[in-house]
Amino acid sequence: MRSIPAAARVKSGAARSTRKALMSFAAIGFCGFLLSGCASVPEVSPAIGHTAVAQKPNIVTRSRALSSVEIKAVVAGLTLAPGDNALLRHHLAIEQAVADAPLVAGETTHILRDGPATFRAMFAAIRSAKRRIDLEYYIFENVESDGVHLGDLLLAKRAEGVAVNIIYDDYGSGSTPQAFLEQLKAAGCHLVEFNPLNPLKAKAGWKPNSRDHRKILVVDGATAIVGGINLATEYQSNPIGKSGNSNEQAGLHWRDTDLVVTGPAVAQLEKLFEDHWNIQQGPPLAELEKTPPVPGQTGNAVVRFVGSAPGRDKPHYYVTLISSMRSAEKSITASAAYFVPTKDERRALMDASRRGVDVTLILPDKSDSGLSIAVAHSHYGKLLRAGVKIYETHGIVLHSKTVAVDGVWSMIGSSNFDHRSVVFNDEVDAVVIGSQTADELDAIYAQDRATATQVDYQAWKHRPLGAKFKEMFASLLQNFL
């Protein structure tokens, strides 16, 4: 088998940074002006997340809904602490109230911390593929893991007769060498370019500010990996996500998080991929057989996958996030790459803290988006006054997008705590109900806090006047970040 050319393995960080800068300028300037009258953050009804839910949650396995007795058994198996059963039932009921897809029992989940661990898990899953590999990524490049390149691995699987289907965002993958993409096509891999910036190439309507920000791998309809980690070459040793590395962050470690899921819920993610494929008018997938049933009810979690896209009144992940924070009883911890909260997100955090919930935010002190840092700072004062704890990381560029509530509810995915994820981007997130995933996230949060600095409200009030002016200016642009 002929190897992918070396030139196709290398991407210019400077080129991506330049492209990002131009696109950011356009989005904030020209596109921002044009879209300001037609795109706005939806308001989430005050009743969502506050209204008590009397009906039992509707939990399914591969083929049927569970009875009340079976649900009780499932709940008992989701936590090692019997006292948390009531919290689990509470969050199952709240999740059911806002669900657009069934809650699925029998899932096995595992948190992946950072690029190298995620790439190893991804490459292992791809090697195990017997029939079908689906990849959907904002940045799609010829990444390497343990000396093996993704392109060579995909070519090898295609030579074995495995179907390979790839959706990549045109802007996010703008620096990916065409030679890499063309060789995959020549080998019979199916590739779809999401929402091309060139209007002459657009097949589903031209929407230059709508991007496919999802990060999805599905293998044989049985194993899935989702989260914030792109297939970007910088992730190999110095993980990166939303954009290219800058000189200021050279040598810094990028902290990000993904999640492996195996079980019947993966069928939901496979359907999200197929829906995107069809919307973008990808080539026929007739060669693909329907994935066989996956045995269920053997895992440690209840899972549902949440796909969001522009044009919906209320993105599903956004309503789910707001409802979970409004219904929190003990704790909320969020790790946010770009903390540009909407009004409802900010209010939910503050209200939770005021009613006695331990609310903690772990945020970066450095980012590829200086404006997002300034906007985050503009919200610190109100949050701190409400009792929200804020930690800023040092020596890393925090890029993960995770939330844990009450030690039993978790969300890991591609959605940022910002307006763009609510209004413009196609996103995907996994909602996991079960203490094991929440405990894994808590362990990562503890490690991040250990090297972070807690922001003191009294000291914050006396920050330099120049910083306050910068925050004020940045806040005017937050709807487009």
Side-chain angles (χ1 to χ4, degrees):
M1 180 187 66
R2 185 165 62 92
S3 177
I4 297 290
R9 298 173 181 168
V10 181
K11 178 206 60 60
S12 167
R16 183 189 290 169
S17 297
T18 300
R19 188 177 176 87
K20 169 65 186 286
L22 291 173
M23 185 65 176
S24 296
F25 178 80
I28 293 173
F30 178 70
C31 289
F33 174 75
L34 292 179
L35 294 170
S36 60
C38 59
S40 60
V41 175
E43 182 177 356
V44 179
S45 168
I48 292 178
H50 291 305
T51 303
V53 181
Q55 75 270 22
K56 71 177 180 68
N58 178 23
I59 302 177
V60 304
T61 59
R62 171 172 49 87
S63 58
R64 64 181 181 86
L66 299 183
S67 67
S68 297
V69 173
E70 290 171 317
I71 290 175
K72 184 176 180 180
V74 166
V75 171
L78 294 178
T79 177
L80 298 177
D84 285 344
N85 284 0
L87 278 173
L88 276 162
R89 284 187 168 275
H90 171 68
H91 281 284
L92 282 169
I94 292 293
E95 192 65 30
Q96 179 62 48
V98 300
D100 65 308
L103 307 173
V104 186
E107 308 306 299
T108 299
T109 64
H110 177 62
I111 293 291
L112 298 169
R113 178 176 175 138
D114 292 333
T118 296
F119 286 175
R120 283 192 292 271
M122 290 179 63
F123 279 44
I126 291 171
R127 287 190 186 97
S128 73
K130 303 299 183 185
R131 297 172 298 101
R132 172 170 172 168
I133 299 166
D134 295 333
L135 292 155
E136 181 172 355
Y137 280 84
Y138 178 64
I139 301 174
F140 177 70
E141 294 175 348
N142 192 19
V143 297
E144 179 183 353
S145 179
D146 297 327
V148 178
H149 284 86
L150 176 63
D152 293 332
L153 182 56
L154 293 177
L155 290 178
K157 298 308 294 187
R158 187 70 196 113
E160 294 173 10
V162 176
V164 178
N165 310 304
I166 301 163
I167 302 174
Y168 63 93
D169 186 81
D170 181 43
Y171 167 65
S173 302
S175 298
T176 301
Q178 283 299 308
F180 170 52
L181 303 176
E182 291 301 326
Q183 189 166 1
L184 292 175
K185 291 179 183 178
C189 299
H190 292 154
L191 279 76
V192 166
E193 184 180 30
F194 182 89
N195 205 8
L197 294 176
N198 182 349
L200 299 178
K201 297 171 63 178
K203 296 181 179 180
W206 188 57
K207 301 174 184 177
N209 209 28
S210 295
R211 307 307 337 154
D212 185 355
H213 197 240
R214 296 176 178 180
K215 292 91 178 171
I216 296 173
L217 167 65
V218 180
V219 173
D220 290 341
T223 300
I225 298 179
V226 296
I229 295 176
N230 281 292
L231 289 173
T233 54
E234 290 89 342
Y235 265 119
Q236 294 163 180
S237 58
N238 202 29
I240 193 167
K242 187 173 181 179
S243 68
N245 215 350
S246 66
N247 290 334
E248 183 182 358
Q249 282 84 47
L252 289 181
H253 176 69
W254 285 68
R255 268 277 299 107
D256 217 325
T257 311
D258 264 27
L259 178 75
V260 181
V261 180
T262 57
V266 174
Q268 293 180 352
L269 198 61
E270 188 176 53
K271 185 178 186 305
L272 286 173
F273 177 89
E274 290 173 346
D275 288 347
H276 249 188
W277 188 274
N278 293 331
I279 289 171
Q280 292 295 312
Q281 299 182 28
L285 300 176
E287 68 175 275
L288 302 181
E289 298 176 1
K290 185 173 179 59
T291 55
V294 179
Q297 256 183 298
T298 59
N300 58 359
V302 169
V303 173
R304 81 177 177 105
F305 289 101
V306 184
S308 300
R312 295 175 179 170
D313 290 338
K314 295 179 177 62
H316 294 134
Y317 101 88
Y318 184 57
V319 175
T320 299
L321 175 62
I322 297 296
S323 68
S324 68
M325 294 192 297
R326 287 177 177 175
S327 62
E329 297 185 2
K330 291 172 44 180
S331 63
I332 300 171
T333 306
S335 178
Y338 308 99
F339 187 69
V340 186
T342 67
K343 180 177 67 175
D344 279 336
E345 287 172 336
R346 186 178 68 250
R347 185 177 296 163
L349 292 167
M350 294 166 60
D351 288 349
S353 182
R354 287 170 178 147
R355 65 175 182 269
V357 175
D358 184 0
V359 181
T360 302
L361 300 176
I362 304 174
L363 308 177
D365 72 338
K366 290 183 174 62
S367 173
D368 61 322
S369 172
L371 282 176
S372 72
I373 295 289
V375 172
H377 288 173
S378 74
H379 295 293
Y380 277 16
K382 291 181 180 179
L383 291 164
L384 292 167
R385 282 198 302 272
V388 175
K389 300 172 185 175
I390 301 175
Y391 289 82
E392 286 193 338
T393 58
H394 306 295
I396 62 172
V397 178
L398 186 67
H399 195 261
S400 61
K401 310 116 177 19
T402 65
V403 183
V405 178
D406 288 344
V408 297
W409 184 100
S410 308
M411 179 180 279
I412 304 98
S414 66
S415 298
N416 287 303
F417 241 98
D418 64 8
H419 294 65
R420 171 163 284 279
S421 286
V422 179
V423 178
F424 297 121
N425 289 347
D426 287 61
E427 306 279 8
V428 65
D429 300 88
V431 175
V432 184
I433 299 178
S435 62
Q436 179 172 317
T437 300
D439 288 347
E440 290 183 46
L441 283 178
D442 283 341
I444 293 176
Y445 294 149
Q447 292 172 9
D448 287 340
R449 286 197 305 271
T451 57
T453 299
Q454 184 171 0
V455 180
D456 177 76
Y457 176 55
Q458 294 302 322
W460 184 254
K461 289 194 300 184
H462 297 95
R463 65 195 184 281
L465 186 61
K468 295 179 181 180
F469 278 120
K470 182 178 179 180
E471 296 161 15
M472 185 183 306
F473 170 76
S475 66
L476 298 176
L477 305 175
Q478 63 183 336
N479 286 354
F480 308 105
L481 298 180

